Amino acid sequence: PATVPTNDIVYLQHMMTDGRRNYSIWFDKKNRIASWICYPLYTGESSTGRSDAYAYDPLVDEEFQANLSKSYQNREFGDEEYVRGHLLPSYDRAGRANLDVFLSTNIIPQSSALNSGVWGDLESRVRSLETYCDTIYVAIGTDVSNSTLKVNDVSSPAKQITVPSGIYKAILAHTKTGEYYALATYFENKANAADKFTK
C-alpha cells in the first residue's frame, strides 16, 4: 500500500527467528491501530493452534497502543459489538511467529459478527490457496476516513482506540506453475457487511 509519512504514523517490521519477514506494519499512533499490515504466506506457515499471548508491541511506545489483556471497554453500540480482531490471522502463523500476531499493533476493534462470519471465511479461503501457490502476498488495511466510533482501553477511559469504518484485504497469489492471480475485497466494519463471500 501507498505510504504518506506523518508524525503520527510509523513503519514497523517483525522478523521470524530465521531472518525472514513475519509482517510489516504502517501503524497509526493517533488512532492506535494499523493503517495496514503486509505479509507473505507460504506452505507450512499455517497453524492449528494459537498462543493468545496478547501484549504490547515492543517497537512502539505503550502510550500509543491498546492494552489488550482484556477486550475493549464500551465496545457495544446498539446491536453491534466490537472485539479484538487480528489483521494478520493467528492461523496464518505457527510457532514463535504466532506470538507476534497477538501484539496490539496487529489488532483492531472489529465487528464480532464480521470477525466470526464472512471475514473469517475469507481468511480460511486465502489459507486454502497455499496448496496451489508458491507464495501469497497479503495486504490488510483499515479505513478510518468516516470513523466516528471509539472504544476505550481497559487501562483508562482516557485512552481511546478508533473503530475503523471499513477493512480491506488484497492478495497477490503466485502459483507453483508461475502464474499470478489477484483479489481485493472491502467490507464495512459491521455485522451485515455481507451475507456471504463467494468465489
Side-chain angles (χ1 to χ4, degrees), residues 36-58:
W36 54 255
I37 281 181
C38 294
Y39 64 98
L41 185 60
Y42 312 100
T43 300
E45 298 289 350
S46 296
S47 169
T48 56
R50 46 187 286 149
S51 69
D52 283 324
Y54 291 97
Y56 286 119
D57 190 323

Side-chain angles (χ1 to χ4, degrees), residues 51-106:
S51 69
D52 283 324
Y54 291 97
Y56 286 119
D57 190 323
L59 302 180
V60 182
D61 289 341
E62 291 180 8
E63 66 178 294
F64 300 115
Q65 301 180 60
N67 179 331
L68 296 173
S69 57
K70 297 180 181 177
S71 198
Y72 309 100
Q73 302 298 297
N74 76 298
R75 57 186 176 147
E76 295 183 15
F77 298 86
D79 294 333
E80 196 73 75
E81 179 185 20
Y82 296 94
V83 296
R84 296 173 290 188
H86 291 71
L87 294 176
L88 166 52
S90 174
Y91 293 115
D92 281 8
R93 287 294 185 261
R96 171 62 185 80
N98 186 265
L99 294 175
D100 286 346
V101 306
F102 286 89
L103 298 175
S104 68
T105 51
N106 181 49

Side-chain angles (χ1 to χ4, degrees), residues 156-176:
S156 169
K159 194 174 182 182
Q160 297 188 320
I161 300 94
T162 299
V163 177
S165 53
I167 309 167
Y168 69 83
K169 178 176 287 196
I171 68 167
L172 177 65
H174 181 226
T175 69
K176 292 177 179 178

Side-chain angles (χ1 to χ4, degrees), residues 21 30 88 106-107 112 120 130 141 144 146 165 195 199:
R21 178 171 58 113
K30 181 179 178 182
L88 166 52
N106 181 49
I107 296 170
S112 176
E130 284 184 14
V144 296
N146 297 309
S165 53
D195 293 328
K199 294 181 182 179

